[in-house]
Amino acid sequence: MLRLPSSFRRQSGKIRCSYARSKGVSIDVLAEIALIKMSEKNNSYYDFFRGRLVIPIRDRFNRVIGFTARDLTNNSNTPKYLNSAESAIFHKSEILFGIDSALRQAQKEDK
């Protein structure tokens, strides 16, 4: 399984795509989970979260189900945060960010 830690994504739109492909993840999978998007300008894929700090969103079982990404370019024309698109496993309205960490901490405190 491909593990993507929190990390800064440079402005280049090809970093995540190249890394994932080197790990055997297909372009189709990356596009389906909206980590990459098709450019309307030149019919090639680009990293949807380029120029952002990417943070995985996990479910209560600690499985990565989506991503949130904070803009680090200070560009006033872009949204400060972007989230993964809705998918079969990610429904933003049904997720409490950090629930995996909260549950682990509660178990440590025996609550």
Side-chain angles (χ1 to χ4, degrees), residues 32-33 57-60 63-67 83-97 99:
E32 184 177 336
I33 61 175
I57 299 172
R58 299 176 187 276
D59 66 9
R60 64 189 184 118
R63 298 176 297 202
V64 175
I65 57 170
F67 298 92
N83 292 313
S84 291
E86 293 281 316
S87 70
I89 61 169
F90 179 70
H91 305 282
K92 184 178 174 184
S93 64
E94 297 175 7
I95 298 300
L96 179 60
F97 184 79
I99 189 67

Side-chain angles (χ1 to χ4, degrees), residues 58-77:
R58 299 176 187 276
D59 66 9
R60 64 189 184 118
F61 303 108
N62 204 32
R63 298 176 297 202
V64 175
I65 57 170
F67 298 92
T68 188
R70 169 68 159 84
D71 179 44
L72 298 176
T73 65
N74 294 322
N75 182 344
S76 62
N77 295 325

Side-chain angles (χ1 to χ4, degrees), residues 7-13 47-54 69-82:
S7 57
F8 174 67
R9 297 297 176 205
R10 289 178 262 168
Q11 277 301 105
S12 169
D47 181 350
F48 180 65
F49 293 120
R50 67 193 178 278
R52 296 175 179 273
L53 175 70
V54 180
R70 169 68 159 84
D71 179 44
L72 298 176
T73 65
N74 294 322
N75 182 344
S76 62
N77 295 325
T78 62
K80 188 181 281 188
Y81 288 93
L82 287 177

